[in-house]
Amino acid sequence: MSFCKDRVVVITGAGAGIGREHALEFARQGAKVVVNDVAAPDAVVEEIRALGGEAIGSRDDISDWDGAGAVIAAAIDAFGTVHTVVNNAGILRDKMLVNMDVDQWDAVIKVHLRGTFCVSRHAINHWRAQDKAGTPVDAPRLVNTSSPSGLFGNPGQINYGSAKAAIAAFTVLAADELARLGVGVNAIAPTALTDMTAGLDAYVAAVEAERERTGFDPGDPGNIAPLVVYLGSPASEGITGRVFTIKGGEISVAETWVKGPRAVQEKRWEVDEIAATLPGLVERARPNTQINGSPRT
């Protein structure tokens, strides 16, 4: 079964790593792919064509408003429309908060968060225009990329984690706002071995140990692509506003912030009352979660 036959899919940051695997799997599932990457889209375009698929490359900067518009315009010029956008592009500038400078903060926020907004906004312009013209795009989809670092936290990645947490919130909000247009909006929080995870020694060691034990490579970025293809396809109808973690052969539905233990009174709280009440609420609350999913201690 071809989940995305003749669908037009724009994938940002698709020149290597997880994005490359997305592009190849969409092509295998029948999609026409726009491979966006500021550095090297051409090799992936050729790989797709060698598979018998259709693809074009784009070197536009998706964190720039006009650059993001150019990516969507290129898809429409080449293939007539856009059905799915996969916001995957990202960079790292890892530092602890006490050592991070404003340029390192801005660079990461710009690519991840602003880039997700810019490309999504241009795609939505196209979908709204088609809807108003009476020719709505079939099953429009946004698939965003969050991260366990954004959902659970990872020291040393305060810029990256903050951007990825914001993308998770963006996903929930956009799903609500775009429901009337029939746009499905979801996100993934993937874990895989790529150039961006090269310095995570503990994770690399765990992946190598599992590969040796089972023969399955849980760090292969190709493990992530099938979920993204499904979320970018018409088959995902009815699933929207969700963030999914995926690591190797494990998929889970991330649950948003929820109200935990609470105290209520029908008057303004005084500071001394809060001092007497809040520690007990915190004691009864579930602990925050570590990046590997276990409770923080």
Side-chain angles (χ1 to χ4, degrees):
M1 178 179 180
S2 295
F3 277 85
C4 293
K5 182 173 174 56
D6 295 327
R7 286 177 68 81
V8 179
V9 180
V10 172
I11 307 170
T12 68
I18 290 174
R20 170 182 173 272
E21 297 296 336
H22 294 344
L24 294 174
E25 188 61 29
F26 270 108
R28 294 186 192 103
Q29 296 293 332
K32 302 171 184 178
V33 183
V34 178
V35 179
N36 167 260
D37 196 283
V38 292
D42 296 344
V44 179
V45 170
E46 291 307 313
E47 285 186 87
I48 290 171
R49 291 174 178 171
L51 293 171
E54 296 182 59
I56 62 169
S58 159
R59 284 187 167 82
D60 295 292
D61 178 1
I62 53 87
S63 69
D64 175 78
W65 175 252
D66 292 335
V71 178
I72 299 301
I76 296 168
D77 289 345
F79 302 124
T81 191
V82 175
H83 295 95
T84 297
V85 169
V86 180
N87 288 304
N88 170 77
I91 62 171
L92 289 179
R93 299 289 186 271
D94 287 356
K95 290 284 185 181
M96 300 293 284
L97 177 59
V98 296
N99 295 318
M100 183 170 293
D101 63 43
V102 71
D103 290 337
Q104 292 164 333
W105 174 270
D106 286 347
V108 170
I109 298 296
K110 184 178 181 183
V111 174
H112 289 274
L113 185 55
R114 191 172 193 264
T116 293
F117 164 78
C118 289
V119 179
S120 299
R121 185 68 173 81
H122 283 290
I124 293 162
N125 286 349
H126 172 64
W127 294 333
R128 289 182 69 201
Q130 293 301 114
D131 193 67
K132 289 179 179 179
T135 55
V137 172
D138 178 48
R141 299 286 185 263
L142 288 176
V143 185
N144 302 320
T145 307
S146 182
S147 168
S149 182
L151 301 182
F152 310 122
N154 190 36
Q157 293 192 312
I158 195 164
N159 48 3
Y160 176 80
S162 296
K164 291 305 194 182
I167 288 170
F170 176 99
T171 298
V172 174
L173 291 163
D176 287 343
E177 293 184 5
L178 299 177
R180 64 183 182 83
L181 291 175
V183 181
V185 187
N186 293 286
I188 62 165
T191 303
L193 286 180
T194 67
D195 290 343
M196 292 180 69
T197 58
L200 302 179
D201 295 340
Y203 174 58
V204 172
V207 166
E208 290 175 348
E210 185 170 344
R211 185 192 304 129
E212 185 173 333
R213 180 176 60 84
T214 67
F216 170 62
D217 183 1
D220 185 345
N223 297 330
I224 313 301
L227 173 60
V228 173
V229 170
Y230 170 75
L231 294 174
S233 76
S236 65
E237 182 69 26
I239 298 175
T240 191
R242 291 293 190 174
V243 180
F244 300 91
T245 68
I246 178 166
K247 175 183 177 182
E250 177 192 276
I251 298 173
S252 73
V253 183
E255 298 176 339
T256 58
W257 288 94
V258 296
K259 288 185 177 180
R262 70 195 72 184
V264 180
Q265 60 183 25
E266 294 181 348
K267 68 182 183 71
R268 178 180 182 269
W269 285 88
E270 300 297 338
V271 175
D272 60 343
E273 294 174 323
I274 292 174
T277 304
L278 199 64
L281 296 181
V282 173
E283 187 175 345
R284 301 203 315 268
R286 291 182 301 174
N288 289 339
T289 305
Q290 298 184 82
I291 197 167
N292 64 3
S294 62
R296 290 183 183 272
T297 56

